Amino acid sequence: MATNRTFTMLKPDATGAGNTGKIIDRMIEAGFSIKAMKWTQLSKAHAEAFYAVHSERPFYGELVEYMTSGPIVAMILEKDDAVASFRDLIGATNPAEAAPGTIRADFAESISANAVHGSDSDENAQIEGRFYFSECEEA
Ligand code: IDP
Ligand code: MG
């Protein structure tokens, strides 16, 4: 089931550095419209559940600790081909490898504190959006 929606989080490095507005501007300038948005903070249990798919990876503990270290902004975004288009906008996981002009190249601190999350498939966009928002919270 292809959809035109994706899910993103601004991570604690981005909110903590005061980059929230600048990063949201990039998303809007790139043609994404915001369908739902929430400023919140992950508990350890919620971060472990959100990133359960990475539970066997060596960086899982570091990732959970980092993602609970400060506020995050969760958003559902809409655009044609949203998942792939958004991954292009944010750039590679490691900011050292992210293409110039991408959000991670311009705002990320490290491979762990890399400013933004972006869903990797339509299916995960749906699951991740539902993690934060009920259907009646989507515009
Ligand atoms: P993605 O966010 O670009 O989809 P994933 O491989 O899904 O990258 O990894 C999820 C998140 O885990 C990354 O965004 C990053 O915060 C963290 N991460 C990935 N690889 C590493 C690593 O090698 N060291 C530390 N953290 C990592
Ligand atoms: Mg991923």
Side-chain angles (χ1 to χ4, degrees), residues 11 51 54 57 59 62-63 66 87 91-93 104 111-114 116-118 120:
K11 298 187 179 184
Y51 284 111
H54 294 309
R57 310 267 293 268
F59 58 81
E62 180 190 341
L63 176 60
Y66 168 64
R87 299 285 306 198
T93 308
R104 282 170 166 168
I111 191 169
S112 172
N114 59 1
V116 285
H117 169 83
D120 62 7

Side-chain angles (χ1 to χ4, degrees), residues 102-137:
T102 59
I103 289 174
R104 282 170 166 168
D106 290 345
F107 296 103
E109 288 174 7
S110 66
I111 191 169
S112 172
N114 59 1
V116 285
H117 169 83
S119 303
D120 62 7
S121 67
D122 287 328
E123 187 192 6
N124 285 335
Q126 181 89 17
I127 292 167
E128 292 168 358
R130 279 290 159 268
F131 188 89
Y132 281 100
F133 303 102
S134 64
E135 263 174 70
C136 66
E137 290 176 299

Side-chain angles (χ1 to χ4, degrees), residues 77-113:
L77 300 175
E78 186 173 85
K79 188 187 176 182
D80 285 349
D81 198 18
V83 167
S85 176
F86 192 73
R87 299 285 306 198
D88 286 347
L89 179 67
I90 67 177
T93 308
N94 184 348
E97 293 164 10
T102 59
I103 289 174
R104 282 170 166 168
D106 290 345
F107 296 103
E109 288 174 7
S110 66
I111 191 169
S112 172

